[in-house]
């Protein structure tokens, strides 16, 4: 044995690019690291700055690469760590030290859950708000134009409404848009034959409103009711619900994607489905917001704010819809919604109650 | 396009699964532990969240180093060499592309559609590069793997195959499986030597038949349950009173959820059984350097049980048992994978030299695209 002190660690040495290996030991010799075989002959060596020591992960073998491309591999991780600590390179293994099985991991789990919840509850909505704020107005315009074009070509048809009826609806519509923040210029009302979409009204993000003949039929002579429904749709536009929905979905998908490798494919699918359910609950709260908007707008315009509630009553009667809210529905249950609207009206009429 | 030449028939394995002669087969093992991986796992997620996702690339490196480094064959472990930045750059490119694509789809739908068609042509190339990257950053005994497959083969294996399988309702899925295993197995290199595989379609179809039977049986059960409930609905329609309506709503919702879960689990179980069976067929039909045989002898039932129970336990513990589940699966799969060397193992394993082109080439490589992202 040579007289240069004890070995730091024992392991295997490979020449550059070869699978051939020799049992060897690692030692320090005059300020440089060297690998020596069982006879004491030096196989490779280099100064500490010229060799590369792989970072520690669990108990997997440690690799030390020398300038000549040869490799020393050892399972004695602790010995290498002690050697590095003695050389003042202790900060190298910081991540590994965090990962060690230790009661402190409980705190990490708690921190992870807390941070995850905070991101979902605070950071994500905040990011969505920022994204909505910086979205130039041209984006919703282009989105809406292409959506309307697509719908016209696939689902909707020419409206068959007579002029008088159209005029009455447009009058009411003008009264409410005059009170809304977008003003008359911000909204256009389009009449279409619903076909597959049936009695319906919807708003595109740039303030294009679409009203189907079937809904007008359903309302009969109650024009105010239709105006109430339109006010509800204006609420969706003013609160930018559709943009928010898009950004939220993108944010949730990105969050799931980033930790995908660490949770396994099955759990990832469950998270994606769960995200879908959560976005439904978001759209329910959006509906409630739009209902409230309808009530306020109708009051300001001096129209009957219960109009939208009457519409739900009608839906219930005509379509026999007694559905209760569940987490699987996009719209709040009809009876529940009617009650909420009546409460809102009472609250707005006597605010000092 | 460039599918490898068919092999001679003698390499088609007739492995007797579950009863392999252990004397001459060297099994892989897994030396990791759930408690050790738990720390790595939780720190990965915590740092990924803290760095707004940037650390996820380094998290992947540490996770793969742990699993590769604990996969042991003949007393020596595999090693994963990718650097965090190589994965980060790849992810940033994918992310930038997605952003660009969505913006374009919004503004100029035509360009957006053109981009998605372009991607369809790019995906095979990206997949081939991703496989090459993964192979080149993997080594065993100081010698790296390499992958020489081209985009054309990836197109057949990963796009034509799955589309064909979907269009034929899974009837041609075995062909797709065969193509993808052949694409990977015939283009993988270790040192200067090649792997070769030619899984027989007949054997894959035997596995496929079991999965098909599971799906048919499952749907018969679901159909039976639906038939039972349609009777319930019919009675409700005959005497409609409000309280019962509400009750029916609730039970209907529950039924829809149950049906959804049931159908998903039928397909899940059938898929797992199929996956294990095909892996056995394909690995056992693989040779290295023309004379060393590979073997996979997973029990289909046990593999499915481990995957399903892993999933349930992970879900019930809100993810906390995920490290245990991952280690459990890695251990099972490794212990049922083996190599039989033809000749003196020591001599064979010391005579392998790295391929000149693969060494150092990965320093210029980035991970463009991988299945997980």
């Amino acid at each position: 044995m040579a007289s240069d002190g004890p070995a730091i660690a024992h392991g295997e040495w490979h020449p550059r690019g070869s699978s051939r290996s020799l049992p060897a030991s690692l030692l320090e010799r005059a300020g440089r690291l060297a690998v020596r075989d069982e006879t004491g002959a030096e196989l490779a060596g280099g100064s500490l700055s010229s060799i590369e020591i792989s970072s520690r992960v669990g108990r997997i073998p440690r690799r030390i690469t020398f300038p000549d491309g040869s490799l020393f591999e050892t399972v004695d991780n602790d010995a290498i760590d002690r050697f590095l600590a003695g050389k003042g390179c202790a900060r190298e293994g910081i991540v590994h030290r965090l990962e060690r099985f230790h009661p402190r991991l409980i705190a990490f789990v708690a921190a992870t859950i807390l941070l995850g919840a905070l991101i979902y509850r605070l950071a994500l909505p905040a990011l969505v708000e920022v994204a909505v704020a910086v979205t130039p107005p041209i984006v919703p315009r282009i989105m809406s134009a292409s959506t309307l074009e697509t719908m016209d070509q696939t689902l909707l048809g020419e409206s068959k409404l007579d002029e008088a009826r159209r005029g009455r609806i447009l009058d009411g519509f003008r009264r409410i848009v005059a009170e809304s923040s977008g003003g008359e210029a911000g909204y256009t009302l389009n009449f279409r034959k619903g076909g597959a979409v049936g009695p319906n009204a919807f708003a595109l993000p740039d303030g294009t409103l679409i009203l189907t003949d079937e809904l007008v039929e359903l309302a009969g002579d109650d024009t105010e009711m239709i105006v109430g429904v339109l006010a509800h749709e204006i609420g969706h536009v003013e609160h930018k619900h559709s943009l928010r929905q898009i950004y939220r979905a993108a944010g949730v998908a990105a969050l799931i994607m980033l930790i995908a490798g660490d949770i396994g494919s099955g759990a990832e699918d469950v998270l994606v489905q769960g995200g879908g359910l959560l976005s439904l609950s978001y759209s329910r709260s959006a509906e409630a917001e739009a209902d409230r908007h309808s009530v306020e707008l109708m009051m300001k315009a001096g129209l009957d704010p219960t109009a939208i509630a009457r519409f739900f009553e009608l839906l219930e009667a005509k379509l026999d819809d007694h559905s209760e809210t569940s987490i699987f529905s996009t719209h709040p249950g009809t009876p529940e919604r009617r009650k909420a609207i009546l409460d809102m009206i009472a609250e707005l009429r006597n605010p000092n109650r | 396009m460039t599918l490898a030449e068919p092999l001679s028939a003698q390499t088609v394995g007739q492995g007797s699964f579950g009863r392999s002669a252990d004397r001459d087969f060297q099994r892989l093992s897994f030396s990791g532990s759930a408690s050790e991986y738990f720390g790595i796992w939780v720190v990965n997620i915590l740092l990924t969240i803290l760095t707004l996702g940037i650390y996820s690339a380094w998290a992947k490196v540490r996770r793969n180093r742990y699993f590769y480094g604990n996969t042991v064959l003949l007393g020596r472990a595999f090693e994963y060499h990718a650097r965090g930045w190589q994965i980060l750059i790849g992810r940033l490119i994918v992310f930038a592309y997605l952003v660009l694509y969505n913006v374009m789809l919004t503004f100029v739908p035509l360009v957006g559609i053109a981009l998605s068609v372009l991607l369809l042509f790019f995906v095979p190339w990206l997949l081939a590069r991703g496989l090459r990257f993964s192979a080149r950053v993997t080594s065993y005994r100081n010698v790296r793997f390499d992958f020489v497959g081209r985009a054309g083969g990836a197109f057949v294996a990963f796009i034509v195959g799955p589309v064909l399988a979907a269009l034929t309702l899974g009837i041609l899925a075995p062909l797709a499986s065969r193509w993808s295993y052949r694409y990977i197995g015939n283009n993988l290199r270790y040192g200067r030597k090649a792997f070769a595989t030619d899984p027989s379609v007949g054997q894959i179809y035997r596995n496929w038949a079991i999965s098909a039977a599971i799906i048919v049986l499952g749907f018969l059960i679901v159909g039976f349950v639906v038939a039972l409930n349609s009777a319930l609905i019919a009675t409700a329609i005959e005497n409609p009173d409000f309280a019962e309506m509400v009750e029916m709503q609730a039970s209907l919702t529950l039924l829809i959820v149950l049906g959804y879960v049931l159908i998903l689990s039928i397909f899940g179980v059938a898929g797992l059984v199929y996956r294990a069976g095909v892996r056995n067929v394909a690995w056992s039909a693989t040779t290295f350097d023309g004379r060393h045989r590979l073997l996979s002898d997973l029990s289909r039932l046990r593999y499915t049980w481990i995957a399903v129970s892993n999933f349930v336990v992970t879900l019930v513990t809100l993810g906390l048992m995920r490290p245990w589940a991952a280690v459990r699966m890695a251990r099972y799969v490794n212990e049922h994978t083996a190599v039989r060397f033809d000749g003196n193992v020591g001599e064979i394993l010391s005579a392998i030299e790295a391929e000149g082109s693969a060494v150092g080439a990965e320093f210029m490589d980035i991970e463009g695209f991988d299945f997980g992202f």
Side-chain angles (χ1 to χ4, degrees):
Chain A
M1 275 290 172
S3 60
D4 33 33
I8 299 165
H10 297 279
E12 298 267 338
W13 177 84
H14 288 280
R16 178 194 173 89
S18 166
S19 63
R20 195 164 59 86
S21 70
L22 297 168
S25 53
L26 180 76
L27 62 147
E28 201 177 3
R29 202 182 257 168
R32 51 200 287 284
L33 272 182
V35 175
R36 170 179 88 167
D37 66 11
E38 285 163 321
T39 64
E42 185 171 309
L43 297 166
S47 64
L48 198 53
S49 58
S50 67
I51 62 168
E52 194 190 345
I53 302 179
S54 67
S55 60
R56 180 167 180 178
V57 179
R59 284 170 300 140
I60 71 168
R62 209 57 168 276
R63 306 162 55 85
I64 297 171
T65 315
F66 286 89
D68 64 354
S70 68
L71 171 81
F72 175 76
E73 206 176 57
T74 176
V75 288
D76 197 351
N77 271 295
D78 292 337
I80 302 290
D81 282 347
R82 273 196 304 274
F83 168 75
L84 284 175
K87 287 278 170 255
C89 311
R91 55 166 198 84
E92 290 285 315
I94 181 98
V95 177
H96 168 72
R97 281 206 301 284
L98 291 178
E99 288 167 350
R100 283 220 315 272
F101 201 66
H102 186 274
R104 149 183 77 226
L105 289 180
I106 298 171
F108 286 179
V109 170
T112 304
I113 293 169
L114 191 71
L115 277 169
L118 279 178
I119 284 188
Y120 185 77
R121 297 299 300 254
L122 301 173
L124 184 69
L127 281 173
V128 167
E129 289 311 309
V130 170
V132 168
V134 301
T135 304
I138 184 129
V139 173
R141 223 170 296 152
I142 291 169
M143 266 166 60
S144 308
S146 59
T147 311
L148 184 60
E149 199 176 315
T150 315
M151 293 197 72
D152 273 344
Q153 280 168 0
T154 52
L155 298 165
L156 305 173
E158 278 298 302
S159 169
K160 304 268 193 295
L161 284 185
D162 57 85
E163 281 306 313
R165 212 152 186 203
R166 210 182 266 221
R168 279 203 300 279
I169 295 169
L170 277 168
D171 277 344
F173 176 68
R174 281 196 201 99
R175 280 176 73 175
I176 53 170
V177 292
E179 297 298 330
S180 69
S181 54
E184 284 222 35
Y187 295 94
T188 44
L189 178 58
N190 298 283
F191 293 92
R192 292 284 188 279
K193 176 147 185 49
V197 296
N200 214 328
F202 41 90
L204 300 173
D206 71 336
T208 305
L209 270 61
I210 297 164
L211 178 65
T212 69
D213 294 2
E214 287 85 341
L215 188 100
V216 179
E217 298 292 322
L218 194 67
D221 295 332
D222 194 345
T223 307
E224 228 172 15
M225 183 195 297
I226 296 171
V227 175
V229 173
L230 292 176
H232 166 99
E233 295 303 330
I234 288 172
H236 279 311
V237 177
E238 305 246 306
H239 290 284
K240 297 190 167 159
H241 283 151
S242 53
L243 263 187
R244 283 210 170 81
Q245 183 90 2
I246 291 168
Y247 286 132
R248 268 185 75 87
V252 170
L255 282 179
I256 294 171
M257 219 145 82
L258 283 173
I259 56 166
D262 286 305
I263 55 171
S265 58
E268 192 191 338
D269 291 341
V270 168
L271 273 184
V272 171
Q273 306 284 352
L277 287 180
L278 284 169
S279 76
L280 291 185
S281 88
Y282 168 78
S283 80
R284 280 207 308 275
S285 72
E287 289 301 321
E289 232 175 358
D291 285 348
R292 189 180 187 87
H293 198 89
S294 166
V295 168
E296 285 173 0
L297 212 51
M298 296 294 277
M299 274 187 169
K300 279 186 195 156
L303 294 164
D304 177 11
T306 59
I308 184 105
R310 278 211 303 282
F311 172 67
F312 294 134
E313 255 167 72
L314 187 72
L315 269 189
E316 236 172 292
K318 288 247 163 127
L319 304 178
D320 207 13
D321 171 9
H322 295 292
S323 65
E324 301 294 316
T325 307
S326 73
I327 56 167
F328 299 101
S329 62
T330 51
H331 284 60
T334 304
E336 206 178 312
R337 239 168 131 177
R338 217 177 52 218
K339 191 177 162 304
I341 288 163
L342 296 176
D343 288 349
M344 268 179 224
I345 294 168
E347 186 191 327
L348 287 166
R349 286 222 166 113
N350 359 327
N352 47 6
R353 208 172 34 149
Chain B
M1 304 247 293
T2 55
L3 275 176
E5 291 295 304
L7 288 167
S8 57
Q10 73 201 30
T11 56
V12 176
Q14 295 291 338
S16 46
F17 299 134
R19 302 183 285 104
S20 62
D22 268 342
R23 281 176 298 104
D24 40 8
F25 272 104
Q26 309 288 344
R27 286 181 179 272
L28 297 178
S29 63
F30 187 74
S31 55
S33 76
S35 60
E36 206 175 32
Y37 177 48
F38 183 86
I40 294 169
W41 175 81
V42 74
V43 170
N44 272 353
I45 294 182
L46 184 62
L47 290 180
T48 296
I49 289 176
L50 279 175
T51 57
L52 302 177
I54 302 214
Y55 187 79
S56 71
W58 281 265
K60 180 175 176 171
V61 169
R62 288 190 79 80
R63 182 172 65 244
N64 279 345
R65 281 194 66 201
Y66 187 77
F67 279 90
Y68 285 47
N70 281 306
T71 294
V72 177
L73 171 65
L74 291 160
R76 299 295 293 277
F78 286 73
E79 175 67 274
Y80 182 75
H81 299 266
R83 312 266 172 185
W85 59 264
Q86 292 173 306
I87 290 170
L88 183 68
I89 291 173
R91 284 186 175 190
L92 286 175
I93 290 172
V94 171
F95 181 73
Y97 179 88
L98 285 176
V99 169
L100 179 76
Y101 168 70
N102 281 304
V103 166
M104 281 299 168
L105 208 59
T106 309
F107 282 99
V108 203
L110 262 180
V111 175
I113 290 161
L115 271 179
S116 60
V117 171
L118 193 72
L119 183 67
L120 196 69
F121 280 99
F122 257 108
V123 160
W125 182 78
L126 285 168
L127 284 169
R129 276 195 61 114
L131 284 167
R132 189 178 76 179
F133 178 83
S134 302
R136 285 186 175 180
V137 296
T138 305
S139 75
Y140 175 69
R141 291 190 64 116
N142 197 30
V143 172
R144 292 189 182 226
F145 287 79
D146 194 10
F147 184 80
V148 297
R150 309 291 279 276
F155 179 74
V156 172
F158 299 119
I159 293 187
V160 175
V163 166
L164 199 63
L167 286 181
T168 57
L169 297 178
I171 290 169
L172 292 184
L175 279 184
S177 305
R178 181 169 184 268
W179 293 342
S180 58
Y181 267 110
R182 277 182 52 102
Y183 175 67
I184 293 173
N186 289 324
N187 289 309
L188 192 61
R189 301 282 181 272
Y190 174 64
R192 291 181 183 147
K193 300 182 168 60
F195 287 82
T197 185
D198 192 12
S200 95
V201 182
Q203 284 188 339
I204 302 180
Y205 261 108
R206 270 200 285 281
N207 282 293
W208 175 89
I210 297 171
S211 294
I214 292 173
I215 290 174
V216 169
L217 195 71
F219 272 92
L220 283 177
I221 294 169
V222 171
F224 180 68
V225 172
V226 167
L228 275 185
N229 280 290
S230 57
L232 188 141
I233 292 164
T235 37
I237 288 169
E238 278 161 28
N239 45 4
D241 86 70
F242 190 73
E244 204 155 279
M245 278 292 244
V246 173
E247 214 169 284
M248 204 180 85
Q249 270 286 343
S251 71
L252 259 183
T253 308
L254 192 70
L255 263 176
I256 289 167
V257 177
L258 266 177
Y260 186 67
V261 170
L262 203 61
I263 285 172
L264 277 185
S265 43
I266 291 167
F267 276 107
V269 167
L272 287 164
V273 169
Y274 178 73
R275 194 192 305 171
V278 173
R279 184 182 192 269
N280 286 344
V281 173
W283 280 65
S284 303
T286 304
T287 56
F288 170 61
D289 198 17
R291 55 205 188 105
H292 313 298
R293 291 267 317 275
L294 270 62
L295 168 85
S296 164
D297 58 357
L298 299 167
S299 145
R300 284 177 294 225
L301 201 63
R302 181 112 187 92
Y303 176 86
T304 305
W305 159 247
I306 290 176
V308 170
S309 55
N310 272 354
F311 172 69
V312 171
V313 168
T314 301
L315 220 54
V316 168
T317 57
L318 302 178
L320 286 181
M321 285 295 268
R322 166 68 198 165
W324 169 83
V327 166
R328 181 177 172 223
M329 184 51 108
R331 178 162 296 138
Y332 182 74
V333 170
N334 282 3
E335 281 167 3
H336 291 82
T337 306
V339 190
R340 187 179 63 196
F341 290 97
D342 175 23
N344 181 319
V345 176
E347 277 170 31
I348 291 162
L349 283 181
S350 349
I352 294 170
E353 294 290 324
E355 195 141 14
S357 66
V359 177
E362 45 76 42
F363 290 115
M364 299 307 298
D365 246 334
I366 52 162
E367 180 181 68
F369 191 83
D370 76 282
F371 293 93
F373 193 62

